Amino acid sequence: MPDAGPDRATARKAIALLTGAAGFTEHRPPPSPLPPDGPLGWAGYDAARERASARTGEEESVLYGTGVVGDRACVLLSFEFGFLGGSLGRQTGDRLAAAYELALARRLPLVALVATGGSRMQEGMIALTQLQRVAAASVRLRAAGLPQIAVVRDPTTGGGWATVGAGADVVLALPGAQVGFAGSRVRPPDADPYAYSAEGQFEAGQVDAVVPADELTAAVTHWLRALGPHEDLPAAPVPRALSVAGAPVPRALSAGGTESAAGAGTGAGAGTGAGAAKGSGAGTGSGAGTPSAADSGPAATLPETGREAVARARDPRRPRAEAYLADYFAVRLPLHGDRSGSTDPGLLCGFGLRGDGQPVAYVAQCGTPTRPAGYRAAARTIRLADRLGVPVLTLVDTPGAANDAGAERAGAGAAIADTFAAVAAARVPVTTLVIGEGGSGGALALAAPDNTHVTVDSYFSVIAPELAAAILKRPPSETGATADQLRLRPQDLVDLGFARSIVG
């Protein structure tokens, strides 16, 4: 097992980094001594444990208890890598299982600070089966609607990564940490080391954010506020429409044909949100919006024709998802990747905190064809929000699902089907705003039945009018007439009963 380097924080220092002056109350499981030299009678094992204890001051490779991070109570568990490489033995399993049960009993979120080389070979299969204990304890916590956050430190490998780490709802990583199932001594000699790093795992969609140590407390605090546990949260408000310089359009046309107030956002205007990449994982809304060609006056007008509706939705100057999210949230906490090795930069998802502190999960298309990884990330986000009781906001804007050969090989159909299923099964309220193109099933997969709203810059259609004309063997000159026949304008969508209101 790797040796503990002098620059690696101890388990207690890792906890203190998060809790600060708030402190930490350690818990211990009931005593359960091992037989001499462990369950295998491995010669010298007792002596190795004694040396590890003398060197670290710890009784085992994990300690756990209760603490406060920011203003949020939680259960913390922390690995001591200096104790036999942070490896998992039976008594480690006792502590891990007890930590999960403590979180369950007190209905608290669990924060795991992981640094481990994997299962402890001196305990053989007894050590390996601790992974099953951890998995079972994690499942019980999930079933109770309690969140799990993992902070993966250097190194996090083997079974510890495959259970406590990668099995968490949100995975944050410290920069430069070695992260992967295969440890440095068991991977192929020609393996690319970047693939086993925090940054490489982020790129592959296995880590949600790479967070510097000095930003970790703020990031974890935001995540704890967003994930809860919560009770009976209201539906996500409909975002306000964005117009010239990010000023809101003041009124919305409802399905009944009367005017009503549009959903009000809480940001300082529309703009480009921070925190969507490798930093702290927490972004704040600020800046000014991008002018829309449709919004040339004090109030936006509805498109007169289907061709105009499509042109306005495709106008590169209209506000996009990034602007809407920046205006809607005070803090954004991105979830990154599909947990299957891929990402889709054209789909943003995560959790956010509005100005009044209300948490909302979001899934937002950015105007590009959505790839299978995007749909899988969307389904992951919606299911997590549903389990934690957090309302969901989806922003629809895509010409359709990606249709290239690579998308087919990556399982486009199955990924879209899974997204439809996640929305259909959600018990929490889902609110949808169509902010641009609503391109067929690839857009509909993210639309909430009976709670979809549209902006004046949007359209929704069973198929793009150009493709419809081609299928019908009509000349290009008849594309506009075809668009009219499809009844895809915002006002058509309200009349057809698909949309509840036109925002802006």
Side-chain angles (χ1 to χ4, degrees), residues 182-206:
S184 59
R185 299 186 185 181
V186 297
R187 66 183 66 140
D190 59 347
D192 177 10
Y194 184 73
Y196 305 86
S197 68
E199 291 74 12
Q201 296 285 8
F202 174 85
E203 189 174 303
Q206 309 288 3

Side-chain angles (χ1 to χ4, degrees), residues 50 81 93 104 118 132 134 139 141 164 179 182 203 242 263 287 414 446 478:
E50 289 173 3
F81 191 78
L104 184 62
Q132 295 172 319
V134 173
V139 165
L141 212 55
V164 184
V179 181
E203 189 174 303
L242 300 182
L446 289 175
E478 294 189 25

